[in-house]
């Protein structure tokens, strides 16, 4: 049975594993009581490649959060990412069956079922079906058609599919660490829950989660996702480029990136230099920071240009009235907002998680966006269950979670 007085969000990334424990206080408000963050192992580009290594870091991150909260975790909400995840839009149509031609909750369920009837390859499964809007006869753009009168009900939905094997490997690692998985979400959708405002989702916003191994893309407008995608590049490629050009180890390059890294030339002092260790007995040497910036900027620009091309192909760049929000650890790189704003010609902000009362300062960083978003999405789902009213769904992650309980309740 899930713990009903606490929610645990577990973000298993290529670079970092983050666990957040949130508990309901006496007033029924969620508060974060424990956090754990450890460097990740056993994943490549968001996908598990070494179960044993991944299982160990998962267990460690959750244990840290358990110690922090003084609680024992039994079950978690988690997410998947990577190139195996795909999004597409679909439409369903049904005849309104209710008495007096009033749309009932059953009609809404039927039309969503009709919209999700797409051909899914054997090795993939549907993770989310998110209603965008409904039409009743010729009335378009309806958010909740319940009780409206009409003959024909249509629904536009965004469907996200993922690889069954990739999802099951994540579940297996968590199960082997001793925890059950309540639900599984697309990572960037969870991130959007904790970082984006309702206005941004409504006006049209590009949400980017720049992780270590992947950059995840979600375009929201009119309150719901319309486009999801993922690039197999992230902050790790930046570090690897630096390491090749500067002839330094990956660890040293990562350190320099975190301390002096910047991807927007105008922010860098052209006289500043970094002292690099000499390899193989060679003496240390100075390397201009502006040169480091150029290495980083060209890789980050490439990532943004690839995303811009995808958006242009689909025509979504004209729907970004709310601008661009960047989260994930890669968003902490200095100059990211400036570079993205230059490339997309839209206002850009770096998204940090919010939405939970008194969120600890250490949690208010882009690295925690997904874990906090998983908690928020789970809370929304619990609220919608207890209210038992939201049959229409409104475009948030809740009610679209992939229910995985059946698969693995006996998995441990
Ligand atoms: N302060 C910082 N400045 C620059 N880059 C940073 C900073 N902090 C973290 N990063 C970079 O962010 C990346 C890790 O981000 P994050 O923890 O969100 O990735 P992840 O979720 O583990 O990966 P993925 O989502 O791709 O599986 C690394 O490449 C790291 O170098
Ligand atoms: Mg991530």
């Amino acid at each position: 049975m899930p713990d009903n007085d606490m929610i645990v969000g577990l973000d298993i990334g290529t670079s970092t594993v983050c666990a957040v424990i949130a508990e309901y206080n006496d007033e029924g408000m969620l508060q974060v009581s424990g956090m754990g963050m450890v460097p990740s192992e056993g994943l490549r580009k968001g996908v598990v490649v070494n179960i044993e290594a991944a299982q160990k870091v998962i267990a460690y991150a959750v244990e840290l959060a358990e110690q922090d909260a003084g609680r024992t975790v039994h079950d978690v909400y988690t997410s998947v990412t990577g190139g195996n995840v795909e999004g597409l839009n679909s439409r369903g149509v049904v005849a309104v069956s209710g008495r007096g031609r009033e749309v009932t909750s059953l009609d809404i369920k039927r039309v969503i079922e009709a919209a999700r009837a797409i051909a899914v390859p054997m090795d993939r499964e549907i993770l989310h079906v998110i209603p965008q809007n409904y039409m009743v006869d010729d009335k378009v753009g309806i958010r909740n058609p319940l009780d409206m009168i009409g003959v024909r009900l249509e629904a536009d939905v965004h469907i996200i599919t993922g690889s069954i094997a990739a999802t099951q490997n994540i579940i297996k690692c968590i199960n082997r660490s001793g925890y059950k998985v309540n639900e599984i979400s697309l990572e960037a959708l969870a991130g959007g829950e904790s970082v984006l405002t309702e206005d941004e989702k409504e006006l049209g916003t590009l949400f980017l989660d720049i992780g270590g191994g992947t950059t995840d893309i979600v375009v929201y407008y009119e309150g719901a996702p319309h486009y999801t995608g993922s690039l197999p590049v992230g902050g790790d490629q930046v570090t690897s480029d630096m390491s090749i050009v500067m002839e330094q180890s990956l660890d040293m390059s990562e350190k320099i990136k975190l301390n002096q890294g910047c991807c927007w030339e105008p922010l860098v002092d052209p006289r500043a230099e970094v002292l690099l260790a000499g390899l193989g007995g060679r003496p240390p040497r100075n390397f201009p920071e502006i040169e480091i910036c150029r290495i980083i900027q060209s890789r980050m620009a490439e990532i943004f240009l690839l995303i811009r091309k995808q958006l242009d192909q689909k025509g979504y760049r004209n729907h970004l009235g709310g601008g661009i929000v960047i989260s994930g650890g890669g968003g902490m790189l200095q100059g990211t907002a400036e570079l993205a704003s230059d490339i997309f010609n839209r206002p850009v902000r770096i998204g940090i998680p919010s939405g939970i009362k008194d969120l600890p300062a250490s949690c208010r960083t882009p690295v925690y966006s997904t874990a906090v978003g998983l908690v928020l999405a789970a809370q929304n789902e619990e609220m919608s269950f207890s209210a038992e009213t939201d049959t229409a769904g409104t475009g948030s992650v809740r009610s679209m979670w992939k229910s995985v309980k059946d698969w693995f309740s006996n998995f441990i």
Side-chain angles (χ1 to χ4, degrees):
M1 275 293 288
D3 290 310
N4 48 18
D5 64 338
M6 72 172 174
I7 300 175
V8 183
L10 176 62
D11 170 20
I12 305 162
T14 314
S15 300
T16 328
V17 180
C18 299
V20 167
I21 300 179
E23 295 181 60
Y24 288 101
N25 65 15
D26 295 342
E27 287 123 48
M29 303 283 285
L30 256 193
Q31 277 186 316
V32 170
S33 59
M35 297 181 316
M37 187 201 283
V38 297
S40 182
E41 272 174 44
L43 276 93
R44 190 171 304 145
K45 301 204 181 296
V47 174
V48 176
V49 290
N50 180 336
I51 295 224
E52 204 183 325
Q55 181 239 302
K56 276 190 188 142
V57 288
I58 290 167
Y60 187 28
V62 180
E63 261 168 49
L64 286 181
E66 285 179 324
Q67 283 165 13
D68 195 19
R71 293 287 308 261
T72 304
V73 169
H74 298 110
D75 45 76
V76 301
Y77 290 81
T78 195
S79 57
V80 286
T81 179
N84 62 80
V85 178
E86 278 171 16
L88 61 106
N89 294 321
S90 171
R91 176 174 286 187
V93 187
V94 293
V96 177
S97 63
R99 214 190 306 159
R101 295 285 173 203
E102 259 185 30
V103 175
T104 62
S105 53
L106 187 65
D107 291 325
I108 296 169
K109 276 188 188 138
R110 282 173 46 235
V111 77
I112 298 293
E113 279 307 310
R116 66 178 283 154
I118 54 161
V120 181
M122 290 283 284
D123 58 342
R124 304 183 69 76
E125 56 168 351
I126 293 179
L127 290 174
H128 298 274
V129 179
I130 307 164
Q132 294 165 333
N133 56 56
Y134 297 86
M135 276 149 280
V136 178
D137 296 342
D138 54 355
K139 289 180 277 304
V140 296
I142 298 166
R143 291 296 165 85
N144 184 355
L146 192 66
D147 295 340
M148 291 189 70
I149 308 242
V151 177
R152 177 187 157 98
L153 175 66
E154 294 178 50
D156 285 329
V157 300
H158 188 65
I159 298 178
I160 296 168
T161 65
S163 141
I164 294 177
T167 308
Q168 285 192 334
N169 280 334
I170 288 273
I171 293 169
K172 196 170 194 173
C173 292
I174 298 174
N175 287 171
R176 281 202 186 170
S177 307
Y179 310 105
K180 287 193 172 187
V181 181
N182 288 328
E183 312 276 359
I184 211 149
S185 161
L186 176 68
E187 176 177 334
L189 280 187
E193 285 293 290
S194 73
V195 162
L196 297 181
T197 64
E198 290 308 312
D199 284 348
E200 283 170 333
K201 288 185 190 168
E202 200 59 44
L203 280 168
T205 295
L206 167 64
F207 176 68
L208 297 180
D209 180 326
I210 309 180
T214 61
T215 295
D216 298 321
I217 308 155
V218 183
V219 175
Y220 285 87
Y221 70 89
E222 295 176 344
H226 279 67
Y227 177 73
T228 43
S230 180
L231 290 177
V233 253
D236 290 354
Q237 271 69 35
V238 171
T239 310
S240 144
D241 290 350
M242 290 171 65
S243 140
I244 293 166
V245 180
M246 299 189 315
E247 296 171 346
Q248 294 293 301
S249 67
L250 282 173
D251 284 351
M252 181 51 75
S253 307
E254 177 75 9
K255 244 183 229 155
I256 296 170
K257 183 177 86 173
L258 299 192
N259 294 322
Q260 281 99 6
C262 178
C263 64
W264 186 238
E265 271 195 48
L267 296 178
V268 180
D269 176 355
R271 288 157 307 175
E273 292 187 325
V274 179
L275 187 64
L276 299 183
L279 294 183
R282 274 170 277 163
R285 64 199 162 104
N286 283 317
F287 200 91
E289 282 191 17
I290 197 88
E291 286 299 324
I292 300 178
C293 174
R294 285 182 190 135
I295 305 168
I296 302 178
Q297 187 168 331
S298 55
R299 176 62 82 167
M300 292 296 283
E302 185 199 24
I303 295 176
F304 291 140
L305 287 168
L306 283 170
I307 295 167
R308 192 177 80 179
K309 194 168 159 202
Q310 283 189 16
L311 297 190
D312 285 343
Q313 277 166 356
K314 307 275 175 187
Y316 287 118
R317 198 140 65 99
N318 305 324
H319 292 285
L320 303 181
I324 296 165
V325 180
I326 302 180
S327 200
M332 290 164 77
L333 183 66
Q334 227 202 328
T336 300
E338 288 82 354
L339 177 66
S341 176
D342 185 60
I343 289 178
F344 289 99
N345 197 18
R346 289 280 188 283
V348 179
R349 74 175 177 91
I350 302 303
I352 51 170
S354 64
I356 296 186
K357 198 172 168 275
D358 300 331
L359 201 60
S362 47
C363 213
R364 273 185 258 128
T365 107
V367 179
Y368 269 113
S369 300
T370 304
V372 173
L374 286 165
V375 169
L376 285 169
Q379 181 197 27
N380 286 339
E381 189 190 52
E382 283 178 3
M383 275 160 48
S384 74
F385 266 134
S386 53
E388 279 190 325
T389 51
D390 188 359
T391 47
T394 52
S396 74
V397 177
R398 72 187 163 72
S399 72
M400 285 76 61
W401 287 89
K402 164 76 190 142
S403 186
V404 283
K405 292 184 191 85
D406 302 342
W407 297 358
F408 57 85
S409 46
N410 299 318
F411 223 75
I412 294 181

